[in-house]
Structures are given as C-alpha cells and as structure tokens.
Amino acid sequence: MATASSLLSEEKFLCSVCLDVFTEPVSTPCGHSFCRACIQKCWDNSDDCKCPLCNRTFSPRPELQVNTFVCELTAEFKALVQVKASTPEPQLPGTADVLCDICSDMKENAVKSCLTCLASFCKVHLEPHQRVAAFKSHTLLDPVKNLDDRMCKTHNKLTELYCRTDQACICLKCFKTDHKSHNVVPLEEEYEATLAKKDETMANIQKMIQSRSEKIAEIENSVDVSQREAEKEKEASVQVFTDLICSIQSSQAELVEVIEERLRATKQKAEAFLTELRMEVAELESRSSQLEQLSQSEDHHHFLQSFPTLCSPLNKDWTNTGVHSNLSLQGVRDELTLLRQRVDEIKEEIPEINEKDQMKRMRKHAVDLTFDPETAFRNLVISQDGKQVTNGGRDQKRPKNPKRFEICPEVLAKEGFTTGKFYYEVQVKDKIGWIVGVVREPVNRKENTPLSVENGCWTIGLHDGIYRAYRKPSVELRLKEKLDNVGIFVDYNKGVVSFYDVNSKSHIYSFTGCHFREKLYPYFCLEGYLNGANSAPIIITPVPQTH
C-alpha cells in the first residue's frame, strides 16, 4: 500500500491546464478537476464549453462547484512541497539564476529547460515531462536563459539547423527558402563538429593567453625600467636646477655685497671730505670773527700785523673735488637679462606633456592682429574694428594700391614679423571654402599664382569639402571633426609654421625646415561667394590668456 506522502506526490493534484498545483479546484460534469480560473479562462476564450481532457461538450455552460475533497488534499500536498523545498538541492553552475516559468507565487529555480515548450521548469512542474507520454518526446537540457532566442524571428519555429555558409542557426522554413543552396546541417552535427575543434581552440587560446601574459610582463618591466629612469632623470634634473639656483643666489649675494662695499667706500670718502670741509669752514668762520673784532680796534699796529694772516687763502682747492658713485652695474644686468632669455629658450625646449599644454605654451606668444584694408580684394568688407572680413559678393570702390590683391578674395594682416614666435586664432565657422596661414611680404598680388612653399606661402584650407595643406603637391588632411577655429603658430627663427584645431586642442599640420628671410604676414582667403553659400566671415578671435 502506498504511503500518504507517495499518494500526495502523484500528478492527480496538478491542473492539466496550467500544470501547477490546483488553486481553488472545481470539477466538471464529466468528473475532471481544474483550477477555477483555468477552466473559466478556457471557456471564455472558446465558442463552446469543452473539457480540456476528454473534449466533452456542455450546453448550457455548467455552474462549477469547488471540489472540497481535492481542495483538502491539495492543501496537504502544498504543505508537503514546502517542507521539501526547505532542503534545497545543489544547482548546476550557471543555472541557479534560471527560474521556473510555471510557478505563480514564489518562483523556484529551474532544473530543466524544454526546447519544445520553450520554457524552464522546477522539479515539481517538470514531473509531467517525465510521466505524460506526449511530453516524453520533448528535448530537455540544463536550465538556460532566453529560450526565445532559439526561435526563428521570421517563422517563429525552433532553429534546429545550422547554415555553415552564413554561420547562423536557422529553422526548417529558412532552409527551404533563403538557405536552399547553402551548406546546411543539423544543429547537433555542427555541434559535434565544432566540439571536435575544442582542444585545438583551447590550445590556441592558451597560446594567446601565454603571449599576452608575456607581453603584460614585458610592458610591466618596461614601466619599472621607465620608473627607475624617470627617478634618475628627475633627480639629476632637480640637482641641476638646484645647483643653478644656488649659483644664482650666490652670485646675487656677491653682487649685492659688491654694491654695498662700493657704497661704503663712497660714504667713507665722502665723510673724509666732509670732515675736512667742516674744519675749513670753522677756520674761516673764526677768521671772519677775528677780522670783525680787529676792525673795531684802534690799535692800528696790531691790525696791520694780523690782517695779512687772516686774509691768506686756504691751501686746498676744492673745485674739482667730488664723490662719484661707481655703483652702476648695467653691464652685469644686461648679461643677466640675456641669461634669462636663454633660460626661457631652454624652457621652450622642454617637451610638452600633451597637446593641451602645447596650446597653453603657444598662447603665451599671442599677437594682436587686424585686417589691412590696403591689401583687401575689392569685394571684401572689413569691420570697423578690423577683426572681421566678409566677402560681399560684389565689387567695392577701392583706390589703386600696389599692396592690394586683384585676383582672388584675399587680405593680409597689418602686422608683419621678422623674428621670434607669434600665435593667433581665426574663426572659419560656417564657411565651405577658406585658406589661412602666412605669406612672405613680396607675395604676388596681381597674378593668379598657386599657393605653395616655393611661392612663399605656408597655408592650409578647405575646398570642395576636403581639407588640404597647400604645397607642391598638396597634402590632404584627414580630420576627425569639422574645423571651426584654427590656431596658427610660427617660429620664425626655427622655420616652423603649425596649425591647430583650437576646439579640440589638437595638431593639424606643420611646415618644417622653412628658411624665412623676409617679413611674414598672416594671410586670409575667403574663397568664392557661391551665391551666398560661402558668405560667412573670417574672424580674428581673441586668444584666451594663459597663466
């Protein structure tokens, strides 16, 4: 005889509609039991009232009553299930987070997934697959997530085939339509073939792991070496600067001491002169007093004897005597100024950490520019402050001038440069054609001469949607973003002209190895008017101050 627990574990207490333990079980006239909600939903969605198990039709729709006997047994069964659930079974790795799709209240972890039902089941709800003959033919596997991904999105069929041509899982309808001429095999066959490559793939993965591990060790070792080299270089550099600072401080102290010693000598000399002069003044004042007294005396004999002595001049001539302070050290200061300039030059040679620091350093050489109306092409309009130039699209009345450009809409800045470094920024936003850079002073302004280094022009620009550096031949510039603001930096002495994207603070292009012998002028070309499509101005923008 079966025990109570074995009787309670049988499938008689599972609703055949939801495959879950009965909830408020009711019986149909044919004697089968279902959850009240399940049987009512079946009948609500059907034209007639049939039993889901024996297909017996009831008309009219019967009034369902709760089966109290089944209800009591169901309650005992649920209590038993809860006791068993308190002792969880070990889960396979990676399956503990796959939940049963049938549990209605507290979701249990799934123990199997069914590829036919496209659902995952806990131990209780898996039981029909192990008992019912129709379910035993279903394909069960360890719990997996996203079972819907195994369905063909086009035909809503299970993907049971594998197309080696397209390397995709497909269903039978896909094979008959889009993959008819492809190399298609059953999914299991492709699995076995792929599984056979596992060892080779694992070996290759291990090789890649090994090679990358060796590269990691190499890079880490390089970092360690760089760290040690950086410490040595930092220590040596700090020592050089420390020695230089100490030397400068010592020289400063010596220089101050020299000045103070010269001042002391000057003061000592002056004090000696002052002492002697004061003594002579006192002597002369004494004579003056004696002479005044003698003049009041009636002793003519004494007066005549004393007068020559009182009137005799003092021996020392003070006419050319003076204190000349030899305190000026202008020559030393000039030499120190040159030293400071040299130190600044050395600082310029220190490599920048990044392009942002490079931009910051260049902006220290910013210059204030204005457009030169005497050079402007006849259809160009310059703003009152001289910072903005526009292509008006039609000729303006302009006086003849040998400086004026007469072929293209070009203009120069008033300011020219023959030495040192200078930097400025130009806005070209919304323009579809433009050229900026620097040109030498005698650039041809009356003929259509190509822009090139050979013709004394160091420029870049935008034409037909392509950015170019104008040399022979021109160089196409591949930029990540559209240029709105261009920074131009020139080192006259080193022969370098560089262009930068001001917004991203990134380098665009540089002309190097140039030999400048004449004055350089900032150059601007607005290109064609193009019926207003290229009417946006070129603007000389203020350069932000850096600290």
Side-chain angles (χ1 to χ4, degrees), residues 451-505:
L451 292 171
S452 66
V453 174
E454 292 74 15
N455 291 328
C457 307
W458 296 267
T459 57
I460 68 168
L462 172 64
H463 184 74
D464 290 339
I466 299 175
Y467 294 100
R468 300 181 185 277
Y470 291 98
R471 57 191 318 155
K472 190 185 293 185
S474 63
V475 178
E476 183 175 343
L477 307 176
R478 301 187 181 276
L479 307 181
K480 295 181 180 179
E481 299 177 355
K482 183 180 179 182
L483 275 175
D484 287 338
N485 295 274
V486 183
I488 299 98
F489 175 74
V490 179
D491 189 331
Y492 190 101
N493 299 338
K494 287 190 175 181
V496 176
V497 181
S498 298
F499 299 85
Y500 295 84
D501 181 343
V502 173
N503 294 348
S504 65
K505 295 181 173 57

Side-chain angles (χ1 to χ4, degrees), residues 337-350 361 365 421:
T337 301
L338 293 175
L339 176 61
R340 170 63 186 275
Q341 293 174 355
R342 178 56 185 151
V343 170
D344 289 340
E345 291 175 1
I346 294 174
K347 285 169 57 181
E348 291 289 337
E349 298 300 323
I350 298 175
R361 183 176 293 180
H365 302 283
K421 303 172 183 177

Side-chain angles (χ1 to χ4, degrees), residues 400-466:
K400 291 288 185 180
N401 194 314
K403 296 182 180 180
R404 192 177 307 284
F405 289 96
E406 295 186 358
I407 303 298
C408 298
E410 303 162 292
V411 63
L412 299 181
K414 289 181 180 180
E415 298 75 19
F417 304 89
T418 57
T419 188
K421 303 172 183 177
F422 61 95
Y423 174 82
Y424 59 98
E425 294 178 358
V426 180
Q427 179 181 306
V428 292
K429 185 178 180 181
D430 298 329
K431 291 195 67 61
I432 60 176
W434 52 265
I435 303 172
V436 296
V438 294
V439 298
R440 62 183 183 180
E441 185 173 21
V443 66
N444 195 326
R445 311 177 192 209
K446 310 301 180 184
E447 298 177 2
N448 191 7
T449 305
L451 292 171
S452 66
V453 174
E454 292 74 15
N455 291 328
C457 307
W458 296 267
T459 57
I460 68 168
L462 172 64
H463 184 74
D464 290 339
I466 299 175

Side-chain angles (χ1 to χ4, degrees), residues 5-17:
S5 61
S6 63
L7 288 172
L8 288 174
S9 65
E10 293 183 358
E11 71 278 359
K12 297 175 183 179
F13 305 105
L14 297 179
C15 173
S16 59
V17 176

Side-chain angles (χ1 to χ4, degrees), residues 77-123:
F77 180 79
K78 286 184 177 180
L80 180 62
V81 169
Q82 289 177 355
V83 172
K84 290 185 176 180
S86 63
T87 308
E89 297 183 7
Q91 298 288 327
L92 293 173
T95 65
D97 54 351
V98 179
L99 301 178
C100 176
D101 293 322
I102 307 303
C103 291
S104 58
D105 297 328
M106 181 68 72
K107 292 281 187 181
E108 297 291 336
N109 288 334
V111 295
K112 290 291 180 180
S113 293
C114 178
L115 291 182
T116 307
C117 299
L118 290 179
S120 297
F121 302 97
C122 65
K123 186 174 181 179

Side-chain angles (χ1 to χ4, degrees), residues 368-371 373 382-389 414-415 538-540 542:
D368 186 20
L369 301 180
T370 52
F371 293 110
I382 297 175
S383 63
Q384 189 172 358
D385 63 358
K387 300 294 185 181
Q388 180 171 314
V389 61
K414 289 181 180 180
E415 298 75 19
I538 287 180
I539 303 172
I540 299 172

